Amino acid sequence: MSRFALSLFLLGALLLGTAWIVESREVVAPGATEKPALPEAPIAGYRAPDFTLTTLTGDTVRLSDYRGQPVVVNFWATWCPPCRAEIPHFQAASRRYNGRIIFLGVDDGEPVATVAPFAAKMGITYPIPLDTESAVSRLYRVNSLPSTFFIDASGVIRHVQFGLVTEAVLEENVQVLLADEGNAAGP
Amino acid sequence: MRAMLPVLDLGFAAVPTAGLIYILGAWLALSAVEKGAALLKQHVAATYTLAVLGLAAAFVGARAAFVASHWEAYRQQPLAIVWPLTAGFDIWAGLLLGALAAFFYGRARGLPPWRTLDALAPGLLVGLSTLSLADFLAGPGYGEAADLPWSISLFGVSRHPVQLYEIAFALLALGVWRLALIRGRDLPSRAGVPFLTAGAVYSAGRLFVDAFRDNAWLTQGGYHVVQIISLVMLLACLFFLLMRLESNAPALHAERRVDGAEGMPPEMPERRTG
């Protein structure tokens, strides 16, 4: 290709590329505050599927009741070693961010009699909804434990972490949720 | 067509799919670099080592940067530095450190820069395809809603398979690389052309395709960040192609005038040991 042709090609790429970028720009319609609601699905970018469960203490929790606050939903079980390893991180974070972020430790498929003594021994104070039939686990397509869903204040899943969540990874994702909350709150 | 396979259930264990794909992709990418170096008649062992070094430095660098930025947490649990590795990487730090390691190694071995980039190009394209495949099967990316024969169904909504589009452009770029190689493998003045043309094609593809992502990375003003980066890369590739043509114009004319003769690649400086 000659130099002149290549120069022309470069100029064309600049003009067409810029035009395509402008054409692809995502603009929220006037009067709207956000993009149209996404369907519910257990993957990042979608709205977190709603669920209602009873906690270890007998309270009823519904995920959508927490709309307006970020939520961290951790699926775990007492027989799962990495779950046991990460619980202290969630406990510490729930204390540190008390009132700013909700932590829910959804126990997968175990009865109260198994979970209660374990929770007491580990000193867990955040809500532990009991998914005794594993219905919510199936809804969230939890194939392995632990699995953790980081949900922002508008109810959209921002990140899904399969496997052990270290303190650093938990802190990183919590900061993302809090930053979104700060941006959403405005000046 | 359905997507989403974030975890591979092996019965006795559940393995994150993305991790497996990255490992397979790294192996394929390194194989592609080896083949590329052989096709270009470059120093295969040195080029392969450069690629391995770059990859290793990127991995270790990304992890080290993340650990450093969360040192308080890792100080109390030092074992967490090395396990688990399913999360906790600073991608930008990894890319920078990987590129630097490869650059300095290449300089130390006296590898010709443009020809080395030509040899690395197929590995880079395979690596980028790997990232797209991992995103398709296990990642958070998805395309805009579209009712097309090749749409994928994601939780009841038909969508553009954007990651497959990206892979298609990577394969196209690989074909362009091969074509450019056939035309100028033994011509020193053509060094860099396969890398730059493949880079231009892939960048143009990403610029086009990212428009069809539904959860794209956006600027405050709603512009697609990947599109901006791709346009910059495309223009850079075309600019350097122009510079290569201008600086090598006399050599190109000479090469065209010689009938039936082939230019030979520069001799590799032998590294003395001991």
Side-chain angles (χ1 to χ4, degrees), chain B residues 48-111:
Chain B
Y48 185 83
T49 303
L50 182 149
V52 169
L53 196 67
L55 209 56
F59 180 81
V60 171
R63 184 63 169 186
F66 185 85
V67 168
S69 62
H70 295 83
W71 180 240
E72 269 310 305
Y74 283 102
R75 193 167 62 88
Q76 291 159 34
Q77 286 188 307
L79 275 179
I81 295 173
V82 293
W83 192 262
L85 296 174
T86 48
F89 292 91
D90 186 331
I91 302 298
W92 297 111
L95 282 173
L96 178 65
L97 290 165
L100 283 174
F103 172 75
F104 285 113
Y105 177 79
R107 262 182 67 163
R109 289 303 306 265
L111 295 175

